[in-house]
Amino acid sequence: MRIVILKSHLLQALQTISKAIPTRTAKPILYGVHVAAMTDGLQLTAYDLEIGIQTLIIPAEESDEPTLQIEQEGSIVLHAKYLLDITRKLPHKLVRIDVTDLTTTIRSGSATYTLNGMDPREYPKLPEITEDMSLSLPADVFISLIEQTNFATATTEIRPTLTGVLFSFKEPELRFIASDSHRLSIHSIQAESKHAYEQLEAIIPRKSLLELMKILPTSDVLTDVYIADNQLLVNFGLTKFYSRLIEGQYPDISRIIPTTWRTAIEVDPKQFTESIERAALLARENENQVIRLYLRRTHIEITSHSPDIGKVTETVDPKAFEGEDLQIACNAKFLLDALKALQNEQVRIEFTSPGSAFTLKPSTKDRPLHLILPVRFGPNA
Amino acid sequence: MRIVILKSHLLQALQTISKAIPTRTAKPILYGVHVAAMTDGLQLTAYDLEIGIQTLIIPAEESDEPTLQIEQEGSIVLHAKYLLDITRKLPHKLVRIDVTDLTTTIRSGSATYTLNGMDPREYPKLPEITEDMSLSLPADVFISLIEQTNFATATTEIRPTLTGVLFSFKEPELRFIASDSHRLSIHSIQAESKHAYEQLEAIIPRKSLLELMKILPTSDVLTDVYIADNQLLVNFGLTKFYSRLIEGQYPDISRIIPTTWRTAIEVDPKQFTESIERAALLARENENQVIRLYLRRTHIEITSHSPDIGKVTETVDPKAFEGEDLQIACNAKFLLDALKALQNEQVRIEFTSPGSAFTLKPSTKDRPLHLILPVRFGPNA
């Protein structure tokens, strides 16, 4: 294998695939990136057996300088972390890589590295996904589906299905649902049905979605989603992202979301978030980070109490108030996570009773929706 | 105690004194900041029994808005971390603090905090330093003395005196010296001798200098340095910084610094640093981070070798070369630390033999000077 490549192109591709390099593994070959020089370009693959990322670098068609020259085809596996650190620091914009047997020489300006490569025949194969049905959605929409739900997944393994996000498509709606059993987040969009499945369910691991979100472009470029054989494949541009799926039946959430309310408020998200944050400063001492909300037509009072430190009272004027006065207690972090996900939209919060789940959503639409279970409202809560 | 204060002034003072708040201590009162409202201002004190910081906030003389009003004198000890977090998030630019017995109410805009204060009589007293002799030096010069030396102190407690920087004044020169016994850094300035000691030695703990450096202003405002009773006091503006000193005799370093050389090079600091960094990428695997330098009149070669990963060769053109060709091996991190301290000046490096210490300094002057002991140059070094 013999190639010359623009450092910036190699670096970007290495950064993309590095999300599938494990920090610790018993199989040293998994620390490696599989590098293959082919007639149509340079293909980089990383696969930790959970997440796989493959990206192809092709010569730029209109460019004054050479971006990639494949002088001789071939492949090698190189330690990804070293290759990334080395590439980042190379002195010249062009990089020459020569592989003889497993010995790999990297030259750039004044620097010459000779790395011990690993045998590409020992590198694990990416899952084969033969499905020809796919679902298409813009990358930025995909990111928003992840952002609105992924944070609400369970971080403990008690119920493995809850550690992932339910990807649920039923034409023409695609829903993402996540819950740690104390809160639930749901977002949905109208998905393109061209060449699409009619119905599809899969549970995608939290970590896979976190890594996918980092490499998805923040533009409306279309991503193609394939789900088959307990594997997810997301295809965008010249990059393929693979993830194993979580097996099992996701709990039925159809009856959890309340359809009525007795108290509803609308709040300015920034002002409300800052008030909750101030109350949360004292709530962080107790395990459930409990804050109390006193909802009154005239004003909302937010309080928190830590026996060791003291107490705090915040007053917020609601933008709108409908229904009855109510007192309710909840986990401040859950509230802040939901408000952060909803970003800068005016937020509508609907309550039924001090013991029932309440919901947050944009005041002008029904999705995304975040549901939070309150904590018991007692003298020491 | 009753005061009204500008949030920004309170926040800045809390950030300053927080450097003396311990992260973990068996004495809970040390988590507190001692707050005293006095006729001339608001005094904040933090003292973890190693480092003490006291700062005074006074009403701004020329200001359209009230910066500080002392309505009633008094004092209280408040949990510093909470007070800092709370102050940072307060909604209004003005903060009212009322203390009744130990109960402290903090009001700002929509927020009301009621904190459990601690008894100010239980707060430890800062050391009394009665010395009236002081040494004056500009704050930015003080910072450069610390920056050039503190990194070279020992991080293990095997020889306690080496965990600090030797502060050595002999009119008219002030020297800072640090060594971990594998390298040594020295910087000196002409110190103002007005009202100063004739001769003075003290060993200042590494951590104290790190914290002092963070709060010293980066201007030429004068700092007054007092040393007495095994304590250091640095006075600048309305802030006092206290540190215990390390007891013991600092090793005599007078014969360590070589006075002759057989090979001398001058290098561009940026180019040389980047070449060493690239070589160091493979050196980090071995304990001493060994790189080898092959100094030749035509060019300098830098190599490093890691049995598992591979090897690297770098070529650098020296700006100047005097004397004989030489091969030497050393710890890459020591070299990078010294180059970083010397910043962007052209660097002169003087060598005597492969087994002798070599020195780095600016090419136009003798201080700061960084000395590094080489490692044995063998086939596996």
Side-chain angles (χ1 to χ4, degrees), chain B residues 319-367:
Chain B
K319 297 287 168 195
F321 190 103
E322 298 169 62
E324 307 160 11
D325 288 3
L326 184 84
Q327 298 185 4
I328 197 164
C330 74
N331 181 312
K333 184 175 180 300
F334 290 175
L335 206 46
L336 289 172
D337 284 346
L339 287 163
K340 187 179 168 207
L342 290 170
Q343 292 172 349
N344 295 318
E345 296 189 79
Q346 183 159 316
V347 174
R348 180 177 176 88
I349 315 180
E350 294 178 353
F351 305 85
T352 312
S353 78
S356 314
F358 62 93
T359 60
L360 296 90
K361 57 189 180 186
S363 58
T364 53
K365 52 191 181 192
D366 282 338
R367 293 285 181 275

Side-chain angles (χ1 to χ4, degrees), chain B residues 213-273:
Chain B
M213 195 162 61
K214 290 180 198 159
I215 64 170
L216 277 174
T218 53
S219 69
D220 60 359
V221 58
L222 278 187
T223 64
D224 291 318
V225 182
Y226 302 81
I227 287 171
D229 308 325
N230 217 26
Q231 284 287 338
L232 165 79
L233 164 58
V234 184
N235 221 325
F236 52 96
L238 295 167
T239 300
K240 290 183 166 72
F241 179 93
Y242 295 80
S243 168
R244 75 166 178 95
L245 297 174
I246 296 172
E247 292 181 56
Q249 185 66 38
Y250 202 84
D252 178 20
I253 61 125
S254 57
R255 271 164 307 180
I256 292 174
I257 299 166
T259 49
T260 59
W261 51 266
R262 276 173 29 203
T263 307
I265 59 171
E266 291 193 14
V267 290
D268 173 72
K270 183 165 181 293
Q271 187 196 20
F272 194 61
T273 299

Side-chain angles (χ1 to χ4, degrees), chain A residues 82 85-86 89 91 110-116 277-278 281 284-285 307-315, chain B residues 82 85-86 89 91 110-116 277-278 281 284-285 307-315:
Chain A
Y82 279 96
D85 288 349
I86 288 168
K89 287 186 179 288
S110 61
T112 304
Y113 286 89
T114 309
L115 301 182
N116 308 328
E277 279 174 347
R278 282 191 289 271
L281 283 181
R284 65 187 176 191
E285 287 295 296
D308 290 342
I309 310 299
K311 64 180 191 213
V312 51
T313 306
E314 268 288 334
T315 311
Chain B
Y82 280 96
D85 287 350
I86 288 168
K89 287 186 179 289
S110 61
T112 304
Y113 286 90
T114 310
L115 300 183
N116 307 330
E277 278 174 349
R278 283 193 289 272
L281 283 181
R284 63 187 177 192
E285 285 296 296
D308 290 344
I309 309 299
K311 64 181 189 209
V312 50
T313 306
E314 268 289 332
T315 310

Side-chain angles (χ1 to χ4, degrees), chain B residues 268-307:
Chain B
D268 173 72
K270 183 165 181 293
Q271 187 196 20
F272 194 61
T273 299
E274 288 175 357
S275 290
I276 305 281
E277 278 174 349
R278 283 193 289 272
L281 283 181
L282 297 195
R284 63 187 177 192
E285 285 296 296
N286 62 56
E287 197 192 345
N288 287 321
Q289 301 194 36
V290 180
I291 57 166
R292 301 181 194 193
L293 305 176
Y294 298 78
L295 308 166
R296 301 194 191 92
R297 191 164 292 277
T298 48
H299 65 281
I300 301 169
E301 208 173 275
I302 304 161
T303 71
S304 183
H305 176 247
S306 158

Side-chain angles (χ1 to χ4, degrees), chain A residues 294-320:
Chain A
Y294 297 81
L295 309 166
R296 302 193 191 93
R297 190 163 293 276
T298 48
H299 64 282
I300 301 168
E301 207 173 274
I302 304 160
T303 71
S304 184
H305 176 245
S306 159
D308 290 342
I309 310 299
K311 64 180 191 213
V312 51
T313 306
E314 268 288 334
T315 311
V316 178
D317 292 327
K319 298 285 168 198

